[in-house]
Amino acid sequence: MADRRIRLRFSGIVQGVGFRPFIYRLAVEHGLVGWVRNRHDGVVVEVEGPPDSLERFLADVEKKRPPRAEVAEITAEEIPAGGERDFRILLSDKEGAKSVRIPPDIATCPDCLRELFDPGDRRFRYPFINCTNCGPRLTIIQDVPYDRANTSMACFPLCPRCRSEYENPADRRFHAEPNACPDCGPRLELLDGGGNRLNAADPLGRAVEALRCGWVLALKGLGGFHLAVDATNDEAVRRLRARKFREEKPLALMVRDLETAARVAELGEEEVDLILSHERPIVLAKKKAGAGLSEAVAPGVPNQGIMLPYTPLHHLLLQEPLRVLVMTSANQADEPICIGNREAVERLRGIADFFLVHNRDILVRCDDSVATVVAGRKRFSRRSRGFAPKPLVLRQSYPDVLALGPQMKTTVCILKGRLAYLSPHIGDMETPQARDFHRRSIVLMQKIADCRPGIVACDMHPAYFTTLEARGLKDVRVVPVQHHHAHIVSCMAENGLSGDVIGLAMDGTGYGSDGTAWGGEFLVATEDAFARVGHLKTFLLPGGEKAVREPWRTGVSLLREVFPDRWREVAERLELLPEKESGRWMERILSAGFNSPPTSSLGRVFDGTATILGLHRRVSFEGQAAMGLEAVAGEKNGLPYPFDILEGENGLVLDLFPAVRALVVALERGVSVEEVSRSFHTTVVEALTATAVEIRRRTGLNRVALSGGCFQNRILLEGCLEELGGSGFEVFSHEQVPTNDGGVSLGQAVVAGARVKKGL
Ligand SMILES: [Zn+2]
Ligand SMILES: [Zn+2]
Ligand SMILES: [Zn+2]
């Protein structure tokens, strides 16, 4: 049969991921001629040969595709034969043009791992081995386009052998920008606690030795420094905690392999997939007892964060005898993660005993991503390394928008056409370092998305740093977006929803359109507008933001709502007050309403309830008390407590105070904390569902979008998905961006884009 020729176009994530060498190898393998080239919008291939070879080639393209490629669309058309003699990779005129997307960092691939541990390979035990399928990407870029000269590899000239790999289309390292070997690439160095270079012939071996002896090692990773200790060494873990300002946050673990992971936590099929995924997030999964780890790793929480090694250096560290390392971001409290060698030595003085560093600079900060599996799907609490800056594909296109995010857990987002580019996790805008990082992230994301939007979205809170930044920008249109509307629209955007939905925004606190602190909101929302059709019954937050760190204050406020006359007596019995006098002055500030703003936040109700149950009367991070409440909840399905749905001035008012009253009575009767906590969760699920049902009766709407920080609570999210689903609703929740404030910038961007598009 005569030769045929077809032209294929691939769109999606097909550049910078080894797609062209992959096509080249397949074509040569099947004896086909033609060419492959990058185009501004993807990859184009023309292949020619006998029909059956073409068919096998197409089947292989489908089956074998490079692990990092994500093909969104393939189109094929038959064209006249050209009669070339070979297959070639053509470098397009626009090779490396700006539209070539910057891929996220990629965990070490199986091919590189094999070479890493092959004594015959020239990169045997070389900590910087990589190829087109793996290695650093975002974290080493300085500018676009993504080629070596614009990365921190620019100062390492390729040796002849590396260069020939780099230039050979058939090689796995063809145009692998960070390609390196022991002759020409970066090197490790070990420093002591003061930052002095130790003359170690084998810095890695010495670092392993230090970890074995219980020292704290600062380790330069992919997107920043980590602090590492042997997780089986209780004393070492406690020392690390004590030095890191006695923070109580659970510490993440890096384990050698899946087998070890399965010993530390309960892993279902979905957790295994997530933990093995090439993005290598930290996966939160239910802790297992008896894994031989220090109790101080993750005290008082049900889940353990675990990840597998994702750089060659990690793989080398986790050889015998170390199996499990605590691997926590090297930063103090709310500051951004350290990236520079000198910066790390300065900021970690007194915390780290040794520093394992190298001379490949980290140019973009990128924290580890954190995800868990709920109801069979991935749920981010932080979307960062491995995922950023991969864009989300939206249902429709919008004008260019830059969204600056809220105050806490901030990310920035750029909307361009149908793509939404989210930055790596930036964090809480409380320190000069974080604010500087935020400004740099804007510059970086504008480079990556290749645009400078004239529309800037921000929160409505007048005092947020991000709002002030937006107001300070010149020649842009600033569009303030209500916090919970942004939450709901972020959920709509990732689920491709348009039109009206019922939005359940269950959150900490955010600035409401009426200037009060919202956080338990029922909205009827579209992309560009919303109506607040219901909210939680408000109560006072004594001390305002102080109540976030001292949730016993919120507990007092709830008690006072339900037992106005005898709340102090109840509080004393529950030992809720830090001091005897606290009762008197709490009564004074609450009755005067002094510095006690009203709030409808469900997150704060969880906090306060936790303290009534005797958990976490003071916390070291927001949400800790609520996490504690989830952690103690027993398995047995508790009976719900009473609640009311009332008619308010503007919409429905969900009153959970009857439930608070009932749970106090239950506690006083000696019902266990486990049972009370479970019943409280059940109550909230039923109450949210009942309110949604009432909204459906009034509006006829049947789609519900769930968003806000409270849905990080597994019991609440699972319960709502089940109950709302069981009541006939179509229920949408988050899978691609966090349900917490890390996803808010996406919502802000889409709201602003939709408004401008509509001429509003
Ligand atoms: Zn590789
Ligand atoms: Zn080399
Ligand atoms: Zn929020």
Side-chain angles (χ1 to χ4, degrees):
M1 250 209 279
D3 281 1
R4 291 167 62 189
R5 186 177 182 96
I6 45 176
R7 179 187 290 147
L8 300 161
R9 289 171 200 274
F10 298 87
S11 68
I13 302 199
V14 288
Q15 298 186 1
V17 291
F19 203 77
R20 288 175 303 173
F22 158 74
I23 292 288
Y24 175 90
R25 282 195 300 275
L26 272 190
V28 171
E29 198 179 300
H30 291 286
L32 303 172
V33 301
W35 50 260
V36 54
R37 91 184 330 162
N38 276 350
R39 260 179 49 130
H40 67 282
D41 55 352
V43 169
V44 185
V45 181
E46 288 191 13
V47 273
E48 180 174 331
D52 50 339
S53 307
L54 276 176
E55 222 160 86
R56 279 197 298 272
F57 167 82
L58 289 175
D60 274 356
V61 168
E62 193 64 42
K63 243 189 345 236
K64 294 182 179 166
R65 62 183 61 150
R68 284 310 320 255
E70 279 177 40
V71 178
E73 210 177 1
I74 311 176
T75 59
E77 56 179 321
E78 179 123 14
I79 54 170
E84 294 112 310
R85 309 181 57 174
D86 56 6
F87 193 90
R88 275 191 285 172
I89 296 183
L90 302 182
L91 298 186
S92 59
D93 344 325
K94 288 213 166 191
E95 186 65 36
K98 279 193 170 169
S99 49
V100 173
R101 289 185 198 154
I102 308 283
D105 301 283
I106 311 165
T108 313
C109 74
D111 290 331
C112 286
L113 265 187
R114 210 171 305 119
E115 292 172 356
L116 182 64
F117 292 111
D118 173 3
D121 193 273
R122 71 190 189 95
R123 292 188 180 87
F124 177 55
R125 293 183 62 82
Y126 181 57
F128 304 94
I129 187 170
N130 67 81
C131 71
T132 41
N133 296 323
C134 74
R137 298 287 187 273
L138 173 69
T139 52
I140 56 166
I141 65 153
Q142 169 144 278
D143 205 349
V144 288
Y146 172 60
D147 61 34
R148 192 173 176 102
N150 284 330
T151 71
S152 52
M153 290 301 292
C155 57
F156 299 99
L158 288 160
C159 71
R161 290 174 81 179
C162 287
R163 172 157 300 281
S164 79
E165 293 166 342
Y166 183 85
E167 288 172 350
N168 176 6
D171 196 279
R172 199 172 95 243
R173 297 195 165 90
F174 176 65
H175 276 266
E177 306 303 343
N179 190 22
C181 76
D183 293 336
C184 66
R187 286 161 197 275
L188 290 177
E189 215 171 65
L190 190 68
L191 314 177
D192 69 15
N196 306 301
R197 191 172 164 199
L198 296 172
N199 248 333
D202 176 17
L204 182 77
R206 286 282 295 276
V208 169
E209 201 50 47
L211 286 169
R212 282 186 61 187
C213 296
W215 299 108
V216 176
L217 178 74
L219 172 73
K220 189 175 187 176
L222 205 49
F225 274 76
H226 282 116
L227 289 165
V229 290
D230 179 353
T232 61
N233 184 331
D234 190 52
E235 207 191 313
V237 178
R238 287 181 198 279
R239 191 178 315 131
L240 171 62
R241 265 197 191 284
R243 290 183 188 172
K244 256 193 111 185
F245 300 97
R246 292 177 295 281
E247 264 191 38
E248 291 165 31
K249 278 189 186 176
L251 301 169
L253 300 176
M254 183 176 275
V255 299
R256 184 192 299 166
D257 46 28
L258 189 60
E259 198 192 324
T260 313
R263 244 179 267 157
V264 172
E266 286 174 21
L267 303 178
E269 211 176 304
E270 288 102 350
E271 278 93 357
V272 168
D273 287 348
L274 193 54
I275 222 167
L276 288 175
S277 65
H278 53 68
E279 293 93 351
R280 286 285 196 280
I282 294 173
V283 176
L284 296 171
K286 196 156 182 244
K287 263 196 289 202
K288 264 189 188 168
L293 304 184
S294 161
E295 288 289 327
V297 171
V301 291
N303 293 330
Q304 175 62 58
I306 320 170
M307 62 185 147
L308 291 182
Y310 55 83
T311 70
L313 182 54
H314 295 148
H315 284 282
L316 291 167
L317 268 182
L318 278 155
Q319 290 307 297
E320 292 297 345
L322 297 168
R323 298 190 80 94
V324 189
L325 293 175
V326 164
M327 196 63 88
T328 181
S329 301
N331 49 350
Q332 299 188 358
D334 300 329
E335 291 178 4
I337 190 167
C338 304
I339 54 173
N341 293 356
R342 220 172 299 153
E343 179 200 1
V345 169
E346 265 165 41
R347 281 172 58 188
L348 303 176
R349 199 181 294 275
I351 299 179
D353 299 303
F354 293 96
F355 293 82
L356 186 59
V357 301
H358 54 74
N359 53 347
R360 185 181 73 198
D361 288 338
I362 300 171
L363 298 179
V364 176
R365 279 170 221 277
C366 208
D367 289 82
D368 293 315
S369 292
V370 184
T372 185
V373 175
V374 179
R377 289 164 66 191
K378 172 179 78 212
R379 316 285 177 171
F380 283 112
S381 35
R382 189 198 294 151
R383 178 187 186 272
S384 205
R385 179 192 45 78
F387 298 94
K390 195 172 102 177
L392 270 63
V393 183
L394 304 177
R395 185 182 55 85
Q396 54 166 317
S397 68
Y398 298 92
D400 296 356
V401 181
L402 165 67
L404 298 191
Q407 181 79 350
M408 309 297 271
K409 297 190 169 74
T410 299
T411 54
V412 301
C413 176
I414 290 189
L415 214 59
K416 188 190 183 192
R418 281 183 64 197
L419 300 178
Y421 294 86
L422 268 97
S423 73
H425 168 76
I426 302 169
D428 302 347
M429 300 292 96
E430 311 277 272
T431 60
Q433 287 88 342
R435 295 170 174 199
D436 178 59
F437 183 20
H438 188 264
R439 293 193 178 116
R440 286 165 189 269
S441 300
I442 294 170
V443 174
L444 172 76
M445 294 313 290
Q446 288 183 335
K447 279 183 184 167
I448 288 174
D450 189 25
C451 68
R452 283 186 75 95
I455 304 160
V456 174
C458 64
D459 202 277
M460 273 182 149
H461 198 301
Y464 276 1
F465 166 77
T466 46
T467 308
L468 299 171
E469 283 292 280
R471 300 272 177 216
L473 293 174
K474 288 202 176 69
D475 304 322
V476 297
R477 175 175 166 193
V478 175
V479 183
V481 177
Q482 201 279 321
H483 187 86
H484 303 102
H485 185 211
H487 266 301
I488 295 302
V489 173
S490 71
C491 180
M492 294 174 69
E494 72 160 76
N495 286 291
L497 304 180
S498 66
D500 287 317
V501 302
I502 299 172
L504 268 55
M506 299 298 144
D507 206 18
T509 47
Y511 195 82
S513 312
D514 58 3
T516 68
W518 293 7
E521 310 307 311
F522 299 88
L523 311 180
V524 167
T526 60
E527 286 169 325
D528 53 72
F530 75 95
R532 189 193 197 200
V533 294
H535 59 82
L536 250 60
K537 187 163 178 189
T538 56
F539 58 99
L540 302 178
L541 267 187
E545 280 305 296
K546 217 171 174 183
V548 175
R549 296 269 166 172
E550 297 180 18
W552 65 268
R553 291 164 173 268
T554 313
V556 162
S557 179
L558 291 176
L559 278 188
R560 192 171 165 275
E561 290 287 345
V562 299
F563 303 112
D565 307 326
R566 58 179 191 100
W567 76 264
R568 277 162 70 180
E569 179 196 320
V570 179
E572 263 169 47
R573 258 205 316 277
L574 295 169
E575 293 170 23
L576 181 58
L577 301 169
E579 295 156 37
K580 205 154 169 65
E581 303 85 82
S582 320
R584 209 169 327 128
W585 58 262
M586 285 301 283
E587 177 59 43
R588 212 173 317 146
I589 67 167
L590 281 167
S591 55
F594 175 71
N595 192 20
S596 300
T599 185
S600 52
S601 161
L602 181 64
R604 295 293 94 85
V605 173
F606 267 87
D607 280 357
T609 304
T611 63
I612 291 173
L613 267 66
L615 309 161
H616 297 292
R617 282 161 185 179
R618 275 165 199 275
V619 297
S620 67
F621 59 94
E622 185 181 0
Q624 189 182 0
M627 274 167 81
L629 188 62
E630 179 190 354
V632 298
E635 292 291 326
K636 211 177 84 197
N637 225 342
L639 282 176
Y641 298 125
F643 57 87
D644 278 326
I645 299 173
L646 313 166
E647 198 69 59
E649 279 168 41
N650 352 292
L652 300 170
V653 176
L654 171 57
D655 182 0
L656 290 175
F657 298 150
V660 175
R661 193 174 303 120
L663 73 85
V664 171
V665 171
L667 281 175
E668 290 185 326
R669 271 206 220 112
V671 179
S672 73
V673 168
E674 289 75 17
E675 204 172 313
V676 171
S677 171
R678 172 60 74 163
S679 289
F680 179 71
H681 279 87
T682 309
T683 309
V684 174
V685 169
E686 295 224 344
L688 296 182
T689 306
T691 312
V693 167
E694 178 56 23
I695 295 169
R696 174 171 62 189
R697 196 184 64 75
R698 297 174 178 207
T699 60
L701 298 173
N702 197 44
R703 296 183 303 174
V704 177
L706 306 178
S707 191
C710 293
F711 289 110
Q712 288 179 104
N713 180 318
R714 170 188 297 267
I715 305 172
L716 188 64
L717 178 57
E718 267 173 355
C720 284
L721 291 171
E722 212 177 294
E723 281 294 309
L724 288 162
S727 305
F729 285 104
E730 249 188 291
V731 193
F732 299 89
S733 55
H734 287 282
E735 186 167 11
Q736 299 191 59
V737 301
T739 192
N740 62 36
D741 283 5
V744 163
S745 64
L746 171 65
Q748 291 175 341
V750 173
V751 171
R755 279 199 199 145
V756 171
K757 197 173 173 180
K758 242 184 154 181
L760 295 174

